[in-house]
Amino acid sequence: MNSYYMNKYDHKKVPAKGSVTDVASDRKIPLSQVIMEAEAVILVDTSGSMSAYDGMPKTRYERSVDALEYYQKQISGKILVLSFSEETIFCPNGYPAYQGGSTNMVEALVYAKIADNVPDMNIILISDGEPNNMLDTLDVAKTFKNKINTVFIGPEDSRAGADFLRKLSEATGGQHTTDYRAANIKKSLGAMLLLEG
Amino acid sequence: MLAYIRDAKLVIAVKTTKLDANATMYASKKNLSVTYNATSIIITPDGYNQQFINRIKANVPSHLRVWDHSHKRWIFHPTTYRIISNMLENLRQMGFNVIIEQAEFFANASNYVPVIKEETLDIHYIGRVYRRNNSEESAYGWYNDGWNVVFINNALQDYFKVSTTSVDATNYYNALIVNETATHDQIKRAYRVVVKQWHPDICSEPNAREQFEIIQKAYETLISPDKRARYDLGLKLERDFNLLASKGKINNTNYDTNEVVFNPMIKCGRFTVRSERIIGRVYVHQILDIDSITNASGQVMTTTWKEGDSVFTTRWV
């Protein structure tokens, strides 16, 4: 496996404020019991392309993490963060582990399927590109009972990626937002979490 | 008076004689008769000998030996044949007369094959798991008016699903002793069995109140489909994360490496087991099912052992 960490988002740091780990530690209860109260599962693409700066001070990955940090503080203990690239990893500390590999979205959705058993779980997928296997990804998405909402944060010249995510959310009755180069990722994510207008 | 004195002399004389006789008896009790049958090794001493008893206790683990009061003989598990063989050789060198009744003793003992079968036992109390002389961990169960059942620790751990990670220490499925695939009815049935055993008004075990609260919470969570779905999500995610952390693939400031203290949730019940009957005891290799013991009035047996008491107490509820 590749290194999981990028610079200041190393897991050795304290958990993000409002992450499930932070809440579990604060309330002195098992992690599993905090997870029971979660309302959203956010699958974050941490493939190699997420290290692109897009002419901005921070990478797409870092901008996504900043947005996650912000909303976990807003709604403590309600967000489950999963990082996906080659593998899918649950990150209870609130920071999606950076993997830097390919975009294995099929495995991400298969992993997230257990969350689909929870009625009305808000499943949000953030990605900047097309997955390894589009057809298989759509097939898995169609088995979901809950909606999958998607946010595309790739470049403008990657329309195929945006179109794919739109198709994926439509297959489940979910919403899609195209946010080129994650320029407004905080607002886009907020809208998906129903916290922003 | 004379008669009395005479009688007293007689008494003294008799007593002296008896003492002398006893001394002679003890000194001569060094004959050991050894026999072997399909399920045990039997050593019959010709009388009480402290040296012999010391040797037995020093060499043979307690759960592999038993004193048969009615026949005044020791019975050993056949797997102790090497220990017995060495012990008898040492005793010969100490002047004991060892008589092997069964010539094929050592050869046959090494061919011992356990006979394991399924049976149902009404066990009135399961004690705590202890490490025995040979480092095997086991718990004794009260059955047929004695501690006649031995639970190998693996059998208990497998059934009660004990784990060394904290996520399973408070696992609601473990609290009700059901599989994670248990149906609604199975959860209900399991709750009825377990809750009666741990109600603080009935149970005097030190952690009764804490266990009772966990059982209540477990039932409330697992009996509701929505809550159960949420709980299953939590279990899976926490386990996956701990697994990665234990392999060093993720730094986890919250990875829990604490060992869990094993605490069986059932203290009495009708156990369906796979077991082996040996030297008068039941050795449980696997627990298949546990149900309540009920009386003619439909009441359920509960047992509890209060700290400081010399015996457990039984109640019907």
Side-chain angles (χ1 to χ4, degrees), chain B residues 12-26:
Chain B
I12 290 167
V14 166
K15 272 191 179 173
T16 304
T17 304
K18 194 174 177 183
L19 275 171
D20 286 341
N22 281 346
T24 307
M25 278 165 63
Y26 288 142

Side-chain angles (χ1 to χ4, degrees), chain B residues 100-143:
Chain B
I100 308 293
E101 301 286 348
Q102 175 60 268
E104 299 86 43
F105 166 69
F106 296 116
N108 286 344
S110 65
N111 294 330
Y112 170 73
V113 176
V115 176
I116 298 171
K117 57 172 185 163
E118 192 175 308
E119 58 180 322
T120 300
L121 312 164
D122 280 0
I123 302 199
H124 292 191
Y125 192 82
I126 300 180
R128 293 191 298 177
V129 173
Y130 283 104
R131 183 161 292 177
R132 309 292 168 185
N133 291 357
N134 65 341
S135 79
E136 184 179 82
E137 293 175 343
S138 58
Y140 279 80
W142 186 269
Y143 165 71

Side-chain angles (χ1 to χ4, degrees), chain B residues 48-299:
Chain B
Y48 180 88
N49 189 300
Q50 189 62 54
Q51 272 184 320
F52 174 58
I53 292 168
N54 290 344
R55 285 280 155 174
I56 289 173
K57 290 188 175 178
N59 288 293
V60 184
S62 60
H63 67 291
L64 295 177
R65 53 175 159 86
V66 67
W67 171 247
D68 178 359
H69 288 282
S70 51
H71 295 96
K72 300 283 186 264
R73 61 187 183 178
W74 285 95
I75 304 175
F76 302 92
H77 194 281
T79 54
T80 63
Y81 83 98
R82 281 195 200 282
I83 298 171
I84 298 294
S85 165
N86 292 336
M87 185 183 77
L88 291 174
E89 189 50 46
N90 289 334
L91 287 167
R92 277 198 185 95
Q93 290 171 13
M94 289 163 64
F96 281 79
N97 185 25
V98 177
I99 306 149
I100 308 293
E101 301 286 348
Q102 175 60 268
E104 299 86 43
F105 166 69
F106 296 116
N108 286 344
S110 65
N111 294 330
Y112 170 73
V113 176
V115 176
I116 298 171
K117 57 172 185 163
E118 192 175 308
E119 58 180 322
T120 300
L121 312 164
D122 280 0
I123 302 199
H124 292 191
Y125 192 82
I126 300 180
R128 293 191 298 177
V129 173
Y130 283 104
R131 183 161 292 177
R132 309 292 168 185
N133 291 357
N134 65 341
S135 79
E136 184 179 82
E137 293 175 343
S138 58
Y140 279 80
W142 186 269
Y143 165 71
N144 264 2
D145 297 321
W147 296 107
N148 295 319
V149 174
V150 180
F151 289 92
I152 306 303
N153 196 25
N154 282 347
L156 290 165
Q157 287 197 353
D158 284 347
Y159 190 82
F160 292 109
K161 301 209 177 13
V162 176
S163 168
T164 55
T165 58
S166 66
V167 64
D168 287 305
T170 50
N171 184 319
Y172 288 164
Y173 291 100
N174 291 351
L176 299 184
I177 319 172
V178 291
N179 287 325
E180 290 179 19
T181 52
T183 62
H184 190 267
D185 286 344
Q186 285 170 334
I187 289 169
K188 253 181 156 169
R189 175 175 163 255
Y191 170 73
R192 279 191 218 115
V193 171
V194 173
V195 76
K196 277 175 183 151
Q197 302 236 348
W198 290 91
H199 197 288
D201 291 348
I202 296 161
C203 184
S204 305
E205 302 285 329
N207 57 336
R209 186 158 294 279
E210 184 193 324
Q211 291 283 25
F212 182 72
E213 283 169 11
I214 291 172
I215 291 164
Q216 291 295 93
K217 208 163 177 189
Y219 180 68
E220 282 163 21
T221 301
L222 298 182
I223 209 65
S224 153
D226 287 358
K227 286 184 184 175
R228 186 175 175 180
R230 289 181 168 276
Y231 184 71
D232 287 348
L233 173 63
L235 266 192
K236 178 191 164 47
L237 292 182
E238 188 171 4
R239 277 180 185 149
D240 285 355
F241 186 70
N242 284 342
L243 184 63
L244 280 180
S246 71
K247 291 176 181 174
K249 292 180 177 176
I250 276 186
N251 286 315
N252 175 15
T253 54
N254 299 301
Y255 173 64
D256 192 340
T257 56
N258 290 333
E259 295 259 337
V260 168
V261 175
F262 176 44
N263 186 18
M265 291 296 289
I266 295 286
K267 288 295 176 189
C268 70
R270 182 157 292 151
F271 284 66
T272 302
V273 299
R274 292 187 71 244
S275 60
E276 176 192 354
R277 293 234 172 206
I278 202 74
I279 61 170
R281 291 197 190 110
V282 179
Y283 282 79
V284 175
H285 290 264
Q286 185 186 4
I287 301 170
L288 300 173
D289 189 38
I290 305 176
D291 204 345
S292 301
I293 298 171
T294 52
N295 61 17
S297 311
Q299 291 174 308

